[in-house]
Every structure is written in structure tokens, then in C-alpha cells.
Amino acid sequence: METVSPLSRVSSSLSIFHYVNTLPLSMRCPLAERVVNTNVLRVGASTSAPGKNYNKERNSGENLSKTSSTGAKTGRRPRVTTGGRTGRYNGASKTEKLNLEVSPHRAVSAVRLMRIQLGGAFADLLNEQGKGSGDNEMGYVERTLGFRTRDLDDRDLRLVTEIVGGTIRWRRYLDHLILSLCHDENTFRTMEPLLLQILRIGFYEIVKLEMPTYAVVDENVKLAKVALRPGAGNMVNAVLRKLVLLKETNSLPSPKVEGDDRQQARALATIHSHPVWMVRRWANYLGLEEAVKLMTWNNSDPCYSLRANTAKGCSRADLVTELEVSKVPYELSQHLDDFVRLKTGMQIVIQAGLLKKGFCSVQDESAGLVVTVVDPKPGEIIIDCCAAPGGKTLFMASCLKGQGSIYAIDVNKGRLRILKETAKLHEVNNVVTTIHADLRAFAEDNSTKADKVLLDAPCSGLGVLSKRADLRWNRTLEDMEQLTNLQDELLDSASTLVRPGGVLIYSTCSIDPKENEERIAAFLLRHPEFCIDPVDKYVPWDFVTVDGFYSSNPVKHSLDGAFAARLLRSR
């Protein structure tokens, strides 16, 4: 058996550049797992579409925050103001102001929503103190709106997370209500981005969060007047008051689910706030009733799981003790011995430093079950083909117990660097070697063979829409075609790295058969030297499909959706 040289003949810069353009960061399995680095909990990544340049999109989304040369740290004492701005929204304002009247969480939410819609990253605010990156958010507010508010406290941070996630999740439904109350499609279509975000926030707070209506109207009117102009505030006031009246009389406009399949899908897409193509696809695959259940799950508050880092000597019992000391409610995983589930309290976990110290990491049980399908054993040589951000890599490394090797390949140098740093933090760096390479070029240039090869393939992320609310609006049918072509190419490349008698594991965080079962069927036709190795020996029977694959179903299992297949190489 040949072993892998730590930096064995990585691909050329030209091939890496080509792969970056083929595979933007967002197309990497978006949230099958998320590694928490020492500073920030990342619950999402860029939302660029396939085939686009990730860096270009990311920068365009941040242009709003770069239009001013005046930062938060100028050394000057901020000026306090309570008045409104009569001018239009201007991100280039160089006047540093502190406005104590505007609600901080609404100002931050509005700016964050604008950044996301224009291509900015969908990320959590929290770091180990629970508020450090809130300073960055306030910097964006100042450079975008021309003023600062008071600092975000823990309650503000929770509200920003709730409002941003909820407003994105319910965007289609909220826009339906706004359009209905504007009575003029042109007015809605030509509305200023900031004004639209303020209205969406107000509608979400009233309809979904059921906040006190007088406070919602007053605070959002104030934000519109200060950030835009008095006339904008008057419009927000009129529209929100109309909404309050309709809600109080139970007469909110709602489309009727009737007509042919297309018309029903369009109505359901509005009611449950999903793209029409997704509703039609799920209705076709799952049936209408199951499609509605899936959309309901996607719109629910996400749960998170923690994996105790046994490689650092932290057992699940130790982690539970820490959670109880911090008064964080939890549930023990029913499927994995090292996992616990949290519905609330993630901010407390971060503030307690459990992630920063490497005692645990954030990883969904669905991703953990993929690792059990791999079944890593001490002494084995394993290649993780699209490794970053590294949740599965680290879990596999802990299973090796210091014996064996994992070679983590990824095309994204920055995320690979984070993986390397986290491996050191988790004390598994002695078995993890990172390789910056395009998998396709690496496979062509290397005669390396491994016992097990994991391809956690770039995918649509349709199984993780509960956590990644923005993904539903950044996926198209055209994306699916490009992704499946890429998945086939990567599968072919990964297969060459498996020794005879070894195992290739293909996984996604998608629930779409086209990315899962159909990809395996097509691969087996091209590669008769591989056959299916049923996963019933590795995961509970409830996760095993009739074809012997692993599949987690969000509605059935209350986990993220995921898929994995074990393929045994005979020669």
C-alpha cells in the first residue's frame, strides 16, 4: 500500500484557479457541519451561485461597508444626535454620529439583510465573548447609514440572529404581504433596498414574532426617518398600521391553494416562503403533504449539536457537566455517543470558552453519522477529498486515536488553514495533513492509494435549509445541473485514490435524489470495479434506505438532511 506524501505533488495554480471558478465556497456542503474556530461561530458561508467568482461576489456584497473612509476607530469622540437625517440614504457619509434613539438590533438587522441580499456572508454574530463581532456589525452600520447606535448587548445579539434569519426565511411571504398593502407592484419593485428591509423587519416582527405593535411601528418609523428621510418614515408608518389592522381582524391576505399543480405550487411557495421550483420538485418526489411538512421544518428554529472532543480527553459526560454548570438545557443524542443537542444556549457555550478551548465543536448529528459510515479505524490511511471546513475530518481524526493518517484536501486555502489550526487546537494534528489542491488535478498527478476515501461533495444544501435560510433564495434549477456534473467529475477522481479492497464514501448534505442515488447509479455504470457496501452495519436501521445507503430526513429524524453511500472497490 502506498502512503501519501504530506505535500505530494499538489495541483498547479492554474488548475486551482479553474476549480475556484467552478466551485465557489457556497457550493461546498453548506452546513452538513461547521467548524468553530477560536474566534467566531460560523453558521453559514457565502451565497454565491455556481460558476461565479466567489471573491468577486463577496467583495461586491461588502461595497456598502467600504464606501466610507471613516471607521469606528478614528480616535475622535463620537457626536451624539437625536435628530433625523433629511437626506437620502448615503453610505459615503463621513460624519461620525451616535444615535441613542434608533433601536440597535433593528439598525444592525437592516444593514445585515442588505449585505446578504447583495452577496455578503450569512454568518452568526457570536464569538467566545458573545459580542465581539457585534463591534464589526456596528462598523457596518456606521459606514452604511452614517451613524452608530448604542452597543449591542446579549439580548440585541439574540434579536439580530432571530430577525435576520426569520426575515430571510419568510422573505417571499413577507413580500407578498408588503405588495398586497402597497397596492402597486411598481412601487414595490422600485422600492429602495434599505426601505424594503425596514418594512420586512417590521412585518416579520408583527406577523411572526408577535412583538408589541406600537413598539414595532414606532421603532421602524424612527429608523426609516433617521437612515433615509421623513417621507420614508411616513410610508413605513402607514403600511405597518395597515398591517396591524389586518392582523387584528384576522384578514391578512393569503393565496388560495387551488387550480392545477403549477398554481398550487405557486400558492404554497408563497404561504411557506420557498421558491416555486423547490415546491414543485418536492411535490413530485415526496408528494404534496410531505413537501409541506418539509417546508414547515425548514421554517422552524434550528437546533444545534455539540460533539465532545474525546481526542482532547473531553467525554460527553464532561461536556454535560460543563453545560449543567452553565445552565444550558440539552438533550443527549439518541444516535451518537459523543453528541448532545441544544435548542438554546449556544451563546452561553461560546462565552464559556468551550469551543475556543477545543473541548467540543459544533456539528450536526447527520454529519456525525456520515463519519460512522466511513468507520475510521486506528492505523488506517484516509483521504478527505473536499475537507474544509473540517468537521468530518476532525471527527475521523479523533477516531484514529493517534494511529494512522488523514490527508485533508481542499481547494480553498483560507478554510484549509482554519482546519489546520483547529486540528492543532483539538490535538489531532499529529494524524491530519492538509493539502491545498484541486482534487481532479491531484488525482491525475498522484498514484496514491488509501484505505478509505471520503468525498463530501459540493451540493445544493437542500437538506440544511433550516440552518441556512438564505440558501433557498440562492439556488436554481440550473445550479442543480452544474452541481451534478461537478459531482460526477469529483467522484471519478476520488475513485482513483482507493486501493483494491478499500472503500469510497460519497456524501452530501442534500435530500435531492439527483445529487444522491442518481449520482451513485451513474457512477457504478462507469466503474464496475465498485459495488455498494450496505451501511446497515454502521448506522441505525431507521437511517438505511432500501438500496443500502445512509439517509437522514429532516421531517422523520429531526436532523439536517444528509446522504452517504459506501462503495467497495474489488480490484
Side-chain angles (χ1 to χ4, degrees):
M1 181 193 314
E2 293 192 39
T3 59
V4 185
S5 173
L7 292 175
S8 176
R9 293 179 295 230
V10 297
S11 65
S12 68
S13 59
L14 179 63
S15 64
I16 293 174
F17 177 79
H18 173 72
Y19 193 20
V20 168
N21 281 278
T22 306
L23 176 57
L25 182 60
S26 66
M27 285 175 56
R28 178 68 176 84
C29 283
L31 206 80
E33 85 283 337
R34 278 291 175 251
V35 170
V36 179
N37 67 19
T38 57
N39 292 321
V40 63
L41 169 63
R42 302 183 173 197
V43 300
S46 166
T47 58
S48 54
K52 295 184 180 178
N53 186 294
Y54 164 70
N55 289 325
K56 182 176 179 181
E57 270 203 31
R58 178 186 63 185
N59 292 336
S60 69
E62 294 177 350
N63 282 342
L64 286 170
S65 65
K66 294 180 179 179
T67 53
S68 171
S69 61
T70 304
K73 299 179 180 179
T74 61
R76 297 194 301 270
R77 189 176 184 83
R79 233 171 49 182
V80 178
T81 178
T82 57
R85 297 175 63 203
T86 57
R88 291 175 62 83
Y89 153 66
N90 179 11
S93 173
K94 294 178 183 285
T95 304
E96 186 176 314
K97 300 177 183 179
L98 176 64
N99 191 304
L100 298 178
E101 289 190 349
V102 171
S103 164
H105 76 260
R106 291 184 176 91
V108 169
S109 296
V111 172
R112 175 88 75 86
L113 287 165
M114 289 181 66
R115 288 177 58 211
I116 293 168
Q117 186 159 337
L118 295 174
F122 183 73
D124 201 286
L125 277 173
L126 306 179
N127 70 359
E128 73 275 10
Q129 283 83 34
K131 62 181 69 176
S133 62
D135 296 337
N136 298 332
E137 292 289 333
M138 198 54 68
Y140 280 118
V141 168
E142 182 179 4
R143 292 189 293 272
T144 303
L145 305 183
F147 62 87
R148 295 175 68 89
T149 70
R150 65 171 173 78
D151 291 338
L152 298 168
D153 58 25
D154 289 345
R155 178 179 177 275
D156 292 324
L157 287 165
R158 288 191 293 271
L159 282 170
V160 169
T161 301
E162 169 62 44
I163 289 171
V164 170
T167 302
I168 293 172
R169 193 173 284 120
W170 289 100
R171 191 180 82 186
R172 185 183 183 94
Y173 176 65
L174 298 175
D175 286 355
H176 163 75
L177 294 178
I178 295 169
L179 177 59
S180 298
L181 271 62
C182 285
H183 302 299
D184 181 3
E185 186 170 348
N186 187 57
T187 299
F188 174 77
R189 300 301 176 196
T190 59
M191 194 175 292
E192 296 160 280
L194 179 58
L195 180 57
L196 179 57
Q197 300 302 348
I198 292 172
L199 282 173
R200 285 172 173 166
I201 289 170
F203 274 58
Y204 178 70
E205 290 178 326
I206 290 171
V207 175
K208 295 299 180 181
L209 293 185
E210 298 189 335
M211 288 183 171
T213 55
Y214 66 89
V216 173
V217 174
D218 181 64
E219 292 293 340
N220 283 289
V221 167
K222 198 177 297 179
L223 175 58
K225 286 183 175 180
V226 175
L228 290 166
R229 59 195 173 280
N234 294 338
M235 179 184 181
V236 170
N237 182 60
V239 175
L240 287 183
R241 288 187 182 279
K242 282 184 185 178
L243 176 70
V244 171
L245 181 61
L246 290 175
K247 187 172 185 298
E248 289 176 345
T249 56
N250 293 317
S251 51
L252 291 173
S254 181
K256 294 182 179 180
V257 183
E258 57 186 16
D260 59 23
D261 291 347
R262 184 182 295 271
Q263 291 171 318
Q264 290 185 41
R266 189 169 296 278
L268 288 169
T270 298
I271 293 169
H272 297 282
S273 195
H274 279 69
V276 175
W277 74 266
M278 282 189 193
V279 179
R280 297 192 68 192
R281 195 174 185 87
W282 291 336
N284 183 44
Y285 281 138
L286 307 172
L288 207 57
E289 184 178 350
E290 288 301 310
V292 169
K293 289 179 182 179
L294 178 58
M295 289 187 286
T296 301
W297 165 266
N298 292 340
N299 288 333
S300 63
D301 293 333
C303 292
Y304 293 94
S305 296
L306 299 177
R307 177 180 64 82
N309 181 16
T310 55
K312 201 164 185 172
C314 180
S315 66
R316 183 166 72 173
D318 296 328
L319 178 58
V320 164
T321 298
E322 294 287 345
L323 294 175
E324 290 176 346
V325 168
S326 300
K327 298 181 179 179
V328 175
Y330 66 89
E331 296 177 7
L332 298 179
S333 169
Q334 299 177 10
H335 315 297
L336 294 161
D337 292 340
D338 298 334
F339 283 66
V340 295
R341 304 188 75 188
L342 306 181
K343 290 186 177 179
T344 61
M346 184 61 73
Q347 190 177 89
I348 299 172
V349 170
I350 296 167
Q351 290 171 338
L354 298 181
L355 303 172
K356 183 179 180 180
K357 296 172 184 175
F359 292 158
C360 62
S361 59
V362 178
Q363 186 171 38
D364 195 80
E365 292 165 86
S366 62
L369 286 165
V370 170
V371 173
T372 67
V373 170
V374 178
D375 190 33
K377 301 290 188 184
E380 289 182 330
I381 295 175
I382 300 173
I383 297 177
D384 191 350
C385 293
C386 299
K392 296 182 181 71
T393 307
L394 297 172
F395 189 10
M396 288 191 295
S398 70
C399 296
L400 295 188
K401 302 186 185 304
Q403 303 174 50
S405 298
I406 296 179
Y407 295 93
I409 303 172
D410 202 90
V411 73
N412 189 288
K413 191 172 185 178
R415 301 204 318 163
L416 204 59
R417 183 177 63 252
I418 293 173
L419 192 163
K420 187 174 183 178
E421 293 169 353
T422 311
K424 185 175 181 180
L425 175 69
H426 283 217
E427 299 182 3
V428 293
N429 53 309
N430 60 323
V431 296
V432 175
T433 299
T434 57
I435 300 175
H436 178 217
D438 176 334
L439 172 64
R440 294 167 293 187
F442 178 87
E444 286 182 5
D445 296 341
N446 285 265
S447 57
T448 298
K449 303 297 178 185
D451 299 305
K452 289 167 181 173
V453 175
L454 170 62
L455 174 61
D456 189 28
C459 70
S460 65
L462 295 184
V464 297
L465 297 185
S466 172
K467 291 187 176 74
R468 283 296 309 277
D470 58 325
L471 276 180
R472 68 185 73 181
W473 311 121
N474 291 283
R475 288 288 181 260
T476 66
L477 276 173
E478 291 74 20
D479 294 346
M480 302 296 287
E481 187 65 31
Q482 292 184 41
L483 281 164
T484 53
N485 291 337
L486 178 60
Q487 288 157 357
D488 286 343
E489 291 180 15
L490 295 176
L491 259 171
D492 289 340
S493 297
S495 68
T496 67
L497 303 175
V498 184
R499 68 166 176 80
V503 181
L504 171 63
I505 299 92
Y506 172 81
S507 68
T508 72
C509 58
S510 175
I511 55 173
D512 197 285
K514 191 174 181 65
E515 296 183 273
N516 298 334
E517 292 88 349
E518 291 184 26
R519 298 281 54 75
I520 298 301
F523 173 81
L524 292 175
L525 288 176
R526 299 192 304 272
H527 295 273
E529 71 274 20
F530 283 88
C531 64
I532 296 171
D533 182 19
V535 302
D536 55 353
K537 301 184 291 290
Y538 308 100
V539 296
W541 66 269
D542 198 31
F543 292 93
V544 182
T545 71
V546 293
D547 296 317
F549 303 137
Y550 157 71
S551 177
S552 60
N553 182 301
V555 174
K556 180 179 179 181
H557 301 116
S558 297
L559 303 176
D560 287 344
F563 171 88
R566 277 180 65 98
L567 304 172
L568 182 65
R569 181 169 189 168
S570 58
R571 62 180 189 275

